[in-house]
Amino acid sequence: MGLPAGLDPDLLRAFAFIAEEGSFTRAAERIGRTQSAVSMQVQRLEATLGQKVLLRGKGGAVQLTPHGHYLLERSRELLALNDEIWSTFRAPQMHGTVRLGTPDDYALRYLPQVLRRFADSHPAIEVEVLCAPSSELVERLREGDLDLSLVTEGHGPRNWPEVELWRGPLRWITSDRHAPHKLDPLPLALAAQGCAWRRTALRALEGTGRRARIAYTSATLAGTTAPVLAGLAVTVSTIAWLPEGLRPLRPDEGLPQLPDTGILLLKGRTPRQPVTDVLAAHISDTFQQEMRWQDRLSA
């Protein structure tokens, strides 16, 4: 019995673009080929797999079959790995140092994936990571001490180029074994003055007349999380990553709704090139995968 036929990355890429765009025409524009050529690629892919992965509906709308849904998730992973291998062997070897800033809220959730992929493709580049509040990171960018930084929306300087990496809900966070959210006044564990999330939380409580007091203040995630885990206070955070023992409050548990928040990527005034752009691309790719994962969960 012979080995199974390999999957052509070009066919997988065409299929992924069609699925993402919902259109053969728009996918063909992204690839830079004719619509008929893209259609033939899909036919070749389906012939290789022995299954239909796409269906054309009325008006040219495209739908994924069950096999297509299965293939889309895995083709993205395969294409990312394919591109990573290609860049590792074909791209010129880069050396140097890139200085990256991030609030510690995001460091544990996102940096392991970013740094692993970056190290695999650019092993000779040193990454200096500074974990600090967004307000401090913006000042370090202004002073030229950082090449790149993740910051929370609301801290970016005016007229400073930025890329939105992620957008999602800001939620009230409490202990899953205690009920500090039922206390009056409401005890809060928040970041120090100048934090956008702190301003948002206090403004929401003032708008509803809910009495509150700031019981704990810290510049770090660990400092605000510890009293919440102990059942002594409530904090605010995204829910992309929560330590065990914490949970988001439900809308019916008495606290006002909070707006969505965003994570931005900012470049320094004089970033070291080309390593800065390479790391920025890895960061953007990681967050795009995160947003697609969230979309699948909410679908």
Side-chain angles (χ1 to χ4, degrees), residues 32-78:
R33 307 189 69 176
T34 64
Q35 182 177 336
S36 59
V38 172
S39 296
M40 290 181 62
Q41 286 183 301
V42 173
Q43 292 173 11
R44 288 173 54 198
L45 177 63
E46 291 178 332
T48 300
L49 296 173
Q51 299 287 346
K52 294 287 290 183
V53 294
L54 292 173
L55 296 175
R56 284 190 177 184
K58 295 182 178 179
V62 176
Q63 292 183 335
L64 294 176
T65 68
H67 286 101
H69 283 287
Y70 174 89
L71 179 63
L72 179 59
E73 182 175 350
R74 285 150 185 83
S75 64
R76 284 169 171 158
E77 297 171 357
L78 284 171

Side-chain angles (χ1 to χ4, degrees), residues 170 172 190 196-206 236 258:
L170 186 64
W172 297 102
L190 298 174
W197 289 1
R198 174 185 173 123
R199 292 195 300 268
T200 298
L202 295 178
R203 191 179 301 123
L205 292 169
E206 291 169 1
V236 292
L258 297 170

Side-chain angles (χ1 to χ4, degrees), residues 174-190:
T174 189
S175 165
D176 62 8
R177 291 181 294 177
H178 308 280
H181 55 283
K182 295 182 179 179
L183 298 177
D184 185 27
L186 178 72
L188 298 172
L190 298 174

Side-chain angles (χ1 to χ4, degrees), residues 7-20 45 49 53-54 64 67-83 289 292 296:
L7 291 173
D8 185 340
D10 288 340
L11 303 185
L12 289 176
R13 200 178 305 276
F15 160 73
F17 283 172
I18 294 167
E20 291 170 1
L45 177 63
L49 296 173
V53 294
L54 292 173
L64 294 176
H67 286 101
H69 283 287
Y70 174 89
L71 179 63
L72 179 59
E73 182 175 350
R74 285 150 185 83
S75 64
R76 284 169 171 158
E77 297 171 357
L78 284 171
L79 289 170
L81 182 59
N82 176 81
D83 294 346
Q289 292 178 19
R292 287 195 293 265
R296 289 198 298 270

Side-chain angles (χ1 to χ4, degrees), residues 139-159:
E139 290 304 313
R140 300 292 290 269
L141 281 167
R142 284 196 177 105
E143 294 167 3
D145 296 332
L146 291 174
D147 302 303
L148 283 172
S149 187
L150 306 177
V151 301
T152 301
E153 184 180 60
H155 292 93
R158 295 184 63 182
N159 302 320

